[in-house]
Amino acid sequence: MGETRHTRVLIIGSGPAGYTAAVYAARAMLNPILVQGIQPGGQLTITTEVENWPGDTHVMGPDLMVRMQAHAEAMGAEVIADHIAALDLSRRPFTAEADSGTTYTADAVILATGAQAKWLGLPSEEQFKGFGVSACATCDGFFYRGKRVVVIGGGNTAVEEALFLTNFASQVTLIHRRDRLRAEKIMQDRLFKHPKINVLWHHEVTEVLGEDNPRGVTAVRLRHVTTGQATDIPCDGVFVAIGHAPASGLVRDQLELHNGGYVRVDAGSTRTSVPGVFAAGDLTDHIYRQAVTSAGMGCMAALDAEKFLAGH
Ligand code: FAD
Ligand code: NAP
C-alpha cells in the first residue's frame, strides 16, 4: 500500500492551465501539489512553433512548457510525475488515487486535464494506428521523408500538421469534408501557397488501405460527400487532425458536464457543480481552446480556490 499525502490544493494536469494555477496557488502560500499525468507539459509538447503566446513571437511548444514547469517549481509548487487513476469528489477532503499507489487528499482540487486527439473511429484506422496512422505530425513526421502523406481535418491543427509535414514528405494532401477551413487566415494563406500541398475538398475517409507484412498504409479510400463517388489516394502516412475531446473521464459521473463532455463551470468563474472543485483550460472550454486562454483560466482557478479555502 502506498503513502497518503494531504495538500490544500491538488492540481491535476500539467498543461498551461495546470502550471499557471500552480504559480498562483504557490504564490498564495497554498503549497500546491501538481500531478503531471502521462503527457507532462500537455498538448503543446506535441507541436513545434507557437506564434501566439504573448511576449514570444516564436517559441517552441515543448520549450515553453519546460519553462512553465520551472516557473511553477521556482514559486514553490511541488510537481509530481504521476497519473491520477480515480478521484472521489463526494466528500471533503477529496481523494485522488494515483498510479504510483500514492493517495492524495485535498481541501480543494483544480482540474486541468485538457483534451485528447479525436479519431475517425474506423476499424482500419485502428488496425494501422502506429503503422502509418498517427495523430501527431511532430512525433511521427520524421518517418515520412520523401513519402506521400494525407492529413484529415480543416482546423488549425490540420493546417499546422500539413505545413509541418512538408519538411519531410514529398507530397501532402489535406482532405477536408467541407469547402472551407476553420484554421486562421494566416495559416490558410501559407497552406494554399505551399507547392507541396494539395487540398481535396468535400471528401471524407471511409477506409485506410494497407498491407499486413510488413504492416503499413498504402492508400486511403475517400467518398465525395455529395456525389458519393469513391476514390483511392495512394499514400504512406495518414495524419488524423479532426480535433480534440475533453479529458473528463475522471469526473464524468461526479460533475455537471455539457457540450459533449466539457466540465461546466459557473459563468465568469472556474467553479464546478461541486464546491471546492475548480476546472480550467481545454477541459472546460469548447470555444477558445488556446494556450493563453487555458493559462488565464488556470490563474482564475487558483484565485477561486484561494477564496474558497479562506472561507472554510
Ligand atoms: P493540456 O495542454 O491538454 O494538458 C492536459 C494535462 O492534463 C496534461 O499534462 C496531461 O498529462 C494531464 N492529465 C490528463 N489526465 C490526467 C490524469 N488522469 N492525471 C493527471 N494528469 C492528467 N494553442 C495556442 O494557443 N497556440 C498554438 O500554437 C497551439 N498549437 C497547438 C498545436 C497542437 C498540435 C495542438 C494539439 C494544440 C495546440 N494549441 C495551441 C492548443 C493548446 O495546446 C491547448 O489549448 C492547451 O494546451 C490546453 O491547455 P490545458 O492546460 O487545458 O491542457
Ligand atoms: P477544430 O478546430 O475543432 O477542427 C476540427 C476539424 O476537423 C474541423 O475542420 C472539422 O470539420 C474536422 N472534423 C471533425 N470531425 C471530423 C470527422 N469525423 N471527419 C472528418 N473531419 C472532421 O480542432 P483543432 O484543429 O484540433 O483545433 C482545436 C483548438 O486548438 C482550436 O481552438 C484551435 O484554434 C486550437 N489550435 C490553435 C493553434 C494555433 O493557434 N496555431 C494550433 C492548433 C490548434 P468541420 O470544419 O466540417 O467541422
Side-chain angles (χ1 to χ4, degrees):
M1 203 157 131
E3 62 173 337
T4 297
R5 294 192 57 190
H6 182 74
T7 177
R8 298 209 74 199
V9 183
L10 178 67
I11 300 167
I12 306 176
S14 56
Y19 283 143
T20 307
V23 167
Y24 276 79
R27 282 173 51 78
M29 309 307 275
L30 294 172
N31 302 321
I33 288 179
L34 180 150
V35 178
Q36 288 181 306
I38 54 176
Q39 189 177 49
Q43 292 172 64
L44 283 187
T45 59
I46 58 161
T47 190
T48 49
E49 288 197 355
V50 175
E51 296 183 353
N52 49 18
W53 179 256
D56 287 308
T57 47
H58 293 278
V59 58
M60 299 303 277
D63 293 347
L64 178 61
M65 298 319 298
V66 166
R67 280 167 35 201
M68 280 196 204
Q69 177 175 345
H71 189 169
E73 288 176 323
M75 293 298 122
E78 186 178 352
V79 175
I80 296 179
D82 207 344
H83 174 260
I84 301 299
L87 191 58
D88 182 354
L89 303 176
S90 62
R91 66 183 72 86
R92 281 202 301 270
F94 305 114
T95 311
E97 308 286 347
D99 280 356
S100 64
T102 304
T103 299
Y104 296 94
T105 57
D107 299 324
V109 169
I110 295 177
L111 297 165
T113 48
Q116 282 161 4
K118 279 189 197 164
W119 296 93
L120 294 169
L122 303 170
S124 53
E125 170 191 58
E126 198 57 45
Q127 186 187 348
F128 291 106
K129 253 185 212 172
F131 296 90
V133 173
S134 167
C136 177
T138 323
C139 320
D140 300 328
F142 188 71
F143 302 118
Y144 296 91
R145 273 168 299 167
K147 298 192 171 171
R148 295 159 303 181
V149 299
V150 301
V151 177
I152 302 152
N156 270 324
T157 302
V159 172
E160 260 188 17
E161 303 262 274
L163 287 165
F164 179 72
L165 285 163
T166 60
N167 293 319
F168 313 98
S170 57
Q171 196 194 348
V172 179
T173 304
L174 184 86
I175 299 165
H176 185 37
R177 61 186 180 183
R178 293 189 296 138
D179 63 353
R180 202 172 303 164
L181 302 174
R182 286 177 191 271
E184 287 168 40
K185 293 288 176 259
I186 187 171
M187 304 289 291
Q188 296 196 26
D189 283 352
R190 287 181 204 164
L191 181 95
F192 295 139
K193 280 188 195 143
H194 203 290
K196 277 191 187 176
I197 301 178
N198 162 42
V199 182
L200 207 50
W201 304 108
H202 292 302
H203 279 84
E204 59 188 17
V205 175
T206 54
E207 194 177 349
V208 179
L209 307 173
E211 300 167 337
D212 262 342
N213 223 346
R215 204 185 314 176
V217 167
T218 53
V220 280
R221 181 154 296 161
L222 308 181
R223 190 183 72 88
H224 191 285
V225 293
T226 47
T227 68
Q229 192 179 343
T231 323
D232 289 354
I233 302 278
C235 63
D236 307 285
V238 179
F239 287 85
V240 180
I242 61 168
H244 288 77
S248 54
L250 274 180
V251 296
R252 191 173 291 130
D253 304 320
Q254 306 186 73
L255 295 180
E256 277 179 32
L257 307 180
H258 66 166
N259 291 310
Y262 290 83
V263 171
R264 195 191 66 71
V265 291
D266 292 347
S269 90
T270 61
R271 287 188 305 270
T272 68
S273 52
V274 171
V277 180
F278 305 89
D282 280 13
L283 174 68
T284 175
D285 171 20
H286 69 288
I287 300 173
Y288 304 106
R289 295 174 297 178
Q290 300 294 303
V292 71
T293 48
S294 298
M297 283 186 263
C299 157
M300 290 165 64
L303 298 179
D304 288 344
E306 185 186 359
K307 194 168 163 199
F308 170 82
L309 291 170
H312 288 77

